[in-house]
Amino acid sequence: MKAVIRKIGYINCVLIAFFLILWISVFLIGGIVGAYSWTLLKLVLPFIGALGLLMNLIIFIILLFKKIKSLKLAFNVMVNILMIFPILMTMNIIPLAYPNTVEHAQPSVTVNFPLKEQTVVGWGGNNVKDNLPHAIWSSERWAYDLLMEPYNINSDNNEDYGIWNKIVYSPVSGVVIATYDGEDDITPGSEDFNSLEGNYVYIEIEETGTYLLLNHLKKDSVLVKVGDKVKPGDLLGRVGNSGSTSEPHLHIHHQRQNPTKTIHPVIAEGLPLFFRDLNVSSMPRKGDVITPQN
């Protein structure tokens, strides 16, 4: 065994072990440990691997000129490629949903629908095909992007979109833990945003002690403040186009960790979110047209 370790290299053995531990944490441990591991795999390890590959290629060129062969260098390159591989998931070349299931990720919640008019699910559901931008991240595993006709019209005027300025209602009973509505609404299709979430309202759900996040609200539209107790149907604000967004829409998702205390928005354990009294499945999917009953 020691001979094998020496041949492969101690650093390579440590990196391989770390790589395997991260995958084991994602699939077998889950929770916040899995969320951190998933983030490291997709956002950190590929850059470390790319840096290592660059260094080893420089060493390879030097040894090539000196006509020296190195088996350890070959192992180094293979380990670097192994670490870079998850970038294919980050870039959605290999679309892979965060490996969690509705049955395992509990508690789930069933809430009122946050809008009162006919709505189209832009992204939503349990699988990566129906929920590509969200399901690939642990925090947004069961998130939704909600739209109204007309949408996807390539207009650079927010007012041309059906969901623009629509009232957002509280889906749950709970306490408002964070609000913000000072960020400008951006031009549809623009990348000129200041934050991922834009303007928001975050609620600690009374039933479960977990958290409901509503993002991309309109500037200066939030009607609640931190500490307010809300119940289903209370007015929260209006739909805008703030944050990282291609057009006006409402983003909503459910997670275990307090979003004001996480290191980064994607590092959290997303939890299933269902809606009551819908004309479609309680976990609607991309393309579903919802006529709210509440």
Side-chain angles (χ1 to χ4, degrees):
M1 178 60 72
K2 289 183 179 180
V4 173
I5 292 175
R6 282 197 299 271
K7 185 175 293 186
I8 296 175
Y10 289 100
I11 294 177
N12 285 336
C13 289
V14 170
L15 290 174
I16 291 171
F18 183 57
F19 185 80
L20 292 175
I21 287 170
L22 291 179
W23 279 109
I24 290 170
S25 298
V26 168
F27 278 95
L28 299 182
I29 298 176
I32 193 63
V33 174
Y36 272 99
S37 298
W38 188 248
T39 305
L40 288 171
L41 280 167
K42 296 187 67 172
L43 296 180
V44 178
L45 239 61
F47 293 100
I48 296 174
L51 180 61
L53 183 62
L54 178 61
M55 293 173 60
N56 283 304
L57 287 176
I58 293 172
I59 295 171
F60 172 77
I61 292 172
I62 294 172
L63 294 181
L64 189 65
F65 277 106
K66 293 183 176 181
K67 297 181 180 181
I68 299 173
K69 294 181 180 180
S70 172
L71 182 60
K72 185 178 291 187
L73 183 62
F75 280 121
N76 290 350
V77 171
M78 286 189 288
V79 171
N80 293 151
I81 293 172
L82 182 69
M83 295 172 65
I84 293 171
F85 174 77
I87 198 68
L88 299 178
M89 300 186 300
T90 308
M91 298 172 66
N92 292 327
I93 296 172
I94 300 178
L96 179 66
Y98 178 69
N100 207 350
T101 65
V102 171
E103 295 75 20
H104 182 263
Q106 292 297 321
S108 62
V109 290
T110 301
V111 305
N112 285 14
F113 200 66
L115 302 164
K116 296 291 187 183
E117 300 178 39
Q118 189 176 81
T119 303
V120 179
V121 179
W123 295 103
N126 188 44
N127 62 64
V128 72
K129 178 182 177 182
D130 293 324
N131 208 1
L132 178 61
H134 302 135
I136 59 174
W137 300 108
S138 59
S139 60
E140 300 182 353
R141 179 64 178 83
W142 291 282
Y144 301 87
D145 283 345
L146 304 176
L147 306 160
M148 289 183 185
E149 293 281 4
Y151 64 93
N152 195 25
I153 55 176
N154 297 319
S155 170
D156 59 4
N157 185 356
N158 281 317
E159 294 181 358
D160 291 341
Y161 294 82
I163 200 169
W164 170 258
N165 204 37
K166 296 299 183 183
I167 297 174
V168 179
Y169 299 87
S170 177
V172 296
S173 293
V175 177
V176 176
I177 63 160
T179 68
Y180 182 68
D181 67 354
E183 186 169 326
D184 289 335
D185 295 284
I186 65 173
T187 301
S190 168
E191 294 294 326
D192 189 24
F193 56 87
N194 296 321
S195 68
L196 293 176
E197 305 89 346
N199 301 314
Y200 55 78
V201 173
Y202 299 157
I203 301 170
E204 182 177 1
I205 304 171
E206 182 179 69
E207 177 187 356
T208 57
T210 52
Y211 301 89
L212 194 68
L213 286 68
L214 301 102
N215 295 338
H216 309 313
L217 302 181
K218 185 181 178 183
K219 185 179 182 181
D220 298 327
S221 75
V222 173
L223 301 172
V224 292
K225 62 183 184 300
V226 174
D228 283 352
K229 294 182 179 180
V230 295
K231 60 183 184 301
D234 286 352
L235 277 59
L236 299 180
R238 292 181 178 271
V239 178
N241 195 38
S242 58
S244 178
T245 167
S246 58
E247 64 179 75
H249 72 279
L250 177 65
H251 171 101
I252 180 171
H253 79 263
H254 174 214
Q255 67 183 50
R256 189 182 305 279
Q257 287 74 30
N258 184 329
T260 68
K261 297 180 180 180
T262 55
I263 295 175
H264 189 277
V266 301
I267 308 176
E269 182 187 356
L271 297 170
L273 178 62
F274 299 91
F275 297 106
R276 62 172 61 90
D277 299 327
L278 297 187
N279 59 309
V280 297
S281 168
S282 59
M283 181 177 278
R285 302 184 301 171
K286 178 183 178 181
D288 281 350
V289 178
I290 296 171
T291 303
Q293 305 298 313
N294 56 331

